Amino acid sequence: MQQLQDRIRAVENRIVAACERSGRKRSDISVVAVTKYVPLKRAEQILDLGYYHLGENRWPDAETKIRTIGSKAKWHYIGHLQSRKVKEVVRFFDTIHSLDRLTLAREIQKRIPEQSTPFPCFIQVNVSGEKTKHGLHPDELIPFCKQVAAMDRIHVLGLMTMAPHEPNPEHTRKVFRKLRQLKEELNQAEVFDHEVKELSMGMSNDFEIAIEEGATWLRLGTVLVGKD
Ligand SMILES: *Cc1c(COP(=O)(O)O)cnc(C)c1O
């Protein structure tokens, strides 16, 4: 627990410093504590220490944690999502960060009951173009969004990307900057009838650069929660 508290303090200091460098407020940034590497007990501790948004990247691996902790946390699905898992994922999670194709959007649209509120999603963009990464090509974003805009069960909060794992995180800056530009283009094109405000970007290796480039959601695993 002490070790966890020390890690949190160190990360929070770095977040605040990055905010100060870029003229932003700490309160404009949310943290998803990624608990995929750690057991239930650690997820409960991180919740007790004030992190309300928890992230997992696999179903059904996350099931025990979600069933135990339940709605005391908000659950973020951050990994690649197979269409056949959507039914369970939309039932157990609060937000999806990895909407990256039309078949998946159609499946979400189909699985959300008409009387419930539209499901909050981030659209994943493969800015870096790495073959190993999921996400839309930047050129596909606006046409894709036009289709999603017609799906009334989906609420697009923003864009998400994963930067390449660079030894020097400065190299990832252009990836984050590009995602922010794409968000601006999307809003200028008025594809949705609401403003798309959120940018889910920045992980353990590169979150300070992401903050400087406008991240509103960081997804922090190893650096914050640890890795067992
Ligand atoms: C695992 C994972 C993270 C957290 O990774 P760390 O580098 O440990 O912070 C963030 N986002 C996604 C999509 C992940 O799969």
Side-chain angles (χ1 to χ4, degrees):
M1 197 74 167
Q2 184 57 43
Q3 210 190 352
L4 187 57
Q5 277 170 321
D6 291 346
R7 206 155 36 215
I8 289 172
R9 196 168 307 115
V11 169
E12 286 295 337
N13 286 340
R14 289 170 62 187
I15 293 174
V16 167
C19 284
E20 280 169 3
R21 280 198 297 281
S22 47
R24 303 189 61 200
K25 291 194 298 243
R26 171 65 185 88
S27 58
D28 291 339
I29 292 164
S30 302
V31 173
V32 176
V34 176
T35 52
K36 68 186 187 193
Y37 302 119
V38 299
L40 170 65
K41 187 159 179 289
R42 182 82 60 81
E44 289 174 327
Q45 288 170 339
I46 199 91
L47 185 71
D48 286 343
L49 291 169
Y51 292 87
Y52 170 60
H53 297 279
L54 303 186
E56 287 282 330
N57 71 335
R58 285 215 174 98
W59 184 264
D61 306 32
E63 187 168 358
T64 306
K65 279 177 205 147
I66 302 184
R67 283 197 187 273
T68 311
I69 295 172
S71 59
K72 282 189 294 214
K74 285 277 184 203
W75 292 96
H76 295 251
Y77 192 91
I78 61 171
H80 179 63
L81 178 53
Q82 294 163 300
S83 294
R84 65 187 168 86
K85 295 191 175 171
V86 166
K87 190 177 167 214
E88 304 270 70
V89 165
V90 298
R91 185 173 150 219
F92 284 93
F93 286 81
D94 299 286
T95 305
I96 291 171
H97 286 241
S98 48
L99 175 54
D100 62 354
R101 60 197 190 279
L102 217 47
T103 49
L104 181 58
R106 291 203 182 102
E107 190 64 23
I108 297 169
Q109 169 75 9
K110 187 171 115 188
R111 295 296 179 185
I112 303 296
E114 233 172 87
Q115 65 277 15
S116 52
T117 52
F119 199 87
C121 293
F122 291 80
I123 296 175
Q124 184 172 356
V125 185
N126 185 359
V127 175
S128 67
E130 284 178 290
K131 286 207 178 65
T132 53
K133 295 239 184 331
H134 294 283
L136 295 159
H137 186 280
D139 294 344
E140 297 172 329
L141 179 65
I142 289 188
F144 176 77
C145 287
K146 285 182 178 160
Q147 307 239 39
V148 172
M151 300 181 190
D152 62 353
R153 313 284 77 222
I154 295 177
H155 180 73
V156 174
L157 292 174
L159 304 181
M160 179 275 217
T161 200
M162 281 177 85
H165 193 89
E166 299 276 357
N168 178 357
E170 275 299 325
H171 294 157
T172 63
R173 188 180 292 281
K174 60 179 186 302
V175 171
F176 296 142
R177 192 166 291 173
K178 174 80 180 177
L179 196 71
R180 188 182 62 197
Q181 283 165 358
L182 287 170
K183 185 187 70 139
E184 282 158 16
E185 284 169 26
L186 191 58
N187 285 322
Q188 265 154 23
E190 297 185 348
V191 176
F192 297 106
D193 57 14
H194 62 279
E195 191 190 345
V196 167
K197 295 195 174 140
E198 310 295 333
L199 288 172
S200 169
M201 58 187 196
M203 301 169 38
S204 291
N205 188 51
D206 52 27
F207 68 92
E208 289 149 302
I209 312 277
I211 292 170
E212 290 170 17
E213 295 303 327
T216 60
W217 288 86
L218 310 175
R219 307 179 311 270
L220 301 178
T222 322
V223 76
L224 183 74
V225 186
K227 194 170 185 169
D228 275 23

